């Protein structure tokens, strides 16, 4: 058992936390017991920040983290790196930007690879988020690049999902992938210093607020991330959403989705892609090959 580790991480020991995360990521001995012994007596918000590449998410998180630190909050930031080679550059930029925060005892930063799950979240992100909660952070921020399924997935993990948009492409808000508008609890219109920001805002406003029946009116916060503008408004919007959230049904829905996801993960744990790939490469040459009969041997 890792009871020492648990105590250390609950006391805010960042090295213990990093070790615990690795333990979980690697399915190391005792990781299940560690998770089972966590307790959650504080209501710590998970803030998901998503949006297209280049929208300024990392810049915003960097600025917002500073803002929160000045309010004496302890902040954890998880950046979910897509394993795609195309994002290496931006990742380096993030590292440099966040560097100044690494030594601050009230900030914990970690990146996790979205291994395998195409464009999705990192495989152990739910478990890691729970570790962070146990480590007594006040704010947990998770950045995901808005590609593939990650926006949808982040909405099932985060208590408040912030969708970062930029006034690019002029009035073409309609180009936002369908299903994405709905996941936002808060819109951020970053790069509000750009021309066209006002008309983009108006369009977004009418698009976001044409559904009068919802209980939560999704606010639109204008920010200029690299100039630290709009942070207070963002903070207030998130806080307001957290309070509204407590009385909403969303928390219960999220909990059910989370349970189903964890069960699914445990059930598929022994499925090895490489093994099945090689197995199929041979078997499928057979004229009588049938994939439904093939998968049957993995069921029950
Ligand atoms: N003009 C302007 N540029 C910004 C703003 N926020 C971020 N940027 C720039 O946009 C680029 C992409 O930012 P980054 O945070 O890496 O975007 P991410 O891919 O969404 O994480 C960087 O060059 C930032 O300096 C903003 O509010 N206004
Ligand atoms: Mg980024």
């Amino acid at each position: 058992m890792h009871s020492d580790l648990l105590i250390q991480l609950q006391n805010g020991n960042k090295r213990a936390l990093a070790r615990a995360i690795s333990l979980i990521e690697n399915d190391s001995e005792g990781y299940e017991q560690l998770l089972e012994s966590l307790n959650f007596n504080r209501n710590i918000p998970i803030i998901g920040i998503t949006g297209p590449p280049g929208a300024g998410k990392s810049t915003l998180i960097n600025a917002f983290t500073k803002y929160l630190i000045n309010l004496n909050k302890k902040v954890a930031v998880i950046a979910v790196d897509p394993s795609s080679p195309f994002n290496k550059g931006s990742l380096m930029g993030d590292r440099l930007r966040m560097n100044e925060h690494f030594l601050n005892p009230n900030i914990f930063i970690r990146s996790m690879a979205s291994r395998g799950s195409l464009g999705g979240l990192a495989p152990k992100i739910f478990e890691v988020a729970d570790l962070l909660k146990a480590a007594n952070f006040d704010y947990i921020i998770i950045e995901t690049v808005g590609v593939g399924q990650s926006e949808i997935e982040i909405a099932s993990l985060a208590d408040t999902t912030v969708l970062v948009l930029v006034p690019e492409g002029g009035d073409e808000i309609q180009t936002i992938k369908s299903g994405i508008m709905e996941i936002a609890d808060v819109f951020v219109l970053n790069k509000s210093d750009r021309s066209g920001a006002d008309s983009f805002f108006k369009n977004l406003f009418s698009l976001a607020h044409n559904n009068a029946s919802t209980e939560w009116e999704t606010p639109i916060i204008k920010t200029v991330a690299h100039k630290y503008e709009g942070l207070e408004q963002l903070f207030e919007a998130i806080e307001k959403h957290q309070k509204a959230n407590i009385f909403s049904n969303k928390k219960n829905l999220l909990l059910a989705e989370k349970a189903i996801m964890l069960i699914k993960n445990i059930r598929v744990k022994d499925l090895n892609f490489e093994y099945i790939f090689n197995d199929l490469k041979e078997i499928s040459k057979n004229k009588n090959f049938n994939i439904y009969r093939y998968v049957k041997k993995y069921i029950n």
Side-chain angles (χ1 to χ4, degrees), residues 54 56-59 90 94 97 143 145:
K57 297 178 296 298
S58 301
T59 314
S90 69
D94 290 352
R97 244 190 312 262
E143 174 184 356
V145 181

Side-chain angles (χ1 to χ4, degrees), residues 217-284:
E217 188 145 294
T218 314
I220 308 171
I221 312 297
K222 286 188 190 173
T223 60
V224 184
H226 66 303
K227 291 193 178 144
Y228 298 83
E229 287 174 25
L231 301 177
E232 191 179 342
Q233 290 84 340
L234 176 59
F235 177 72
E236 278 163 7
I238 291 172
E239 291 284 301
K240 195 172 162 201
H241 181 254
Q242 290 295 321
K243 290 197 185 96
N245 215 358
I246 290 168
F247 303 105
S248 84
N249 201 24
K250 190 182 166 193
K251 273 214 146 63
N252 296 322
L253 290 172
L254 287 184
L255 204 59
E257 276 188 35
K258 179 171 170 179
I260 287 175
M261 207 218 46
L262 292 172
I263 294 165
K264 275 187 186 163
N265 282 353
I266 291 165
R267 290 209 174 145
V268 301
K269 208 173 144 207
D270 300 324
L271 290 181
N272 181 314
F273 182 84
E274 240 171 86
Y275 176 80
I276 293 181
F277 176 82
N278 290 322
D279 202 25
L280 278 174
K281 211 157 71 181
E282 291 313 312
I283 296 178
S284 62

Side-chain angles (χ1 to χ4, degrees), residues 8 15 19 44 62 88 96-97 105 114 169 182 193 211 215 242 250 279 283 293-294 296:
Q8 286 167 348
R15 283 183 60 189
R19 263 185 52 218
I44 299 155
N62 182 49
K88 286 266 160 56
L96 290 175
R97 244 190 312 262
S114 57
E182 291 74 17
D193 52 329
N211 188 354
E215 46 185 293
Q242 290 295 321
K250 190 182 166 193
D279 202 25
I283 296 178
R293 288 202 301 271
Y294 176 79
K296 236 179 172 167

Side-chain angles (χ1 to χ4, degrees), residues 29 188 199:
E29 171 95 50
V188 161
S199 66

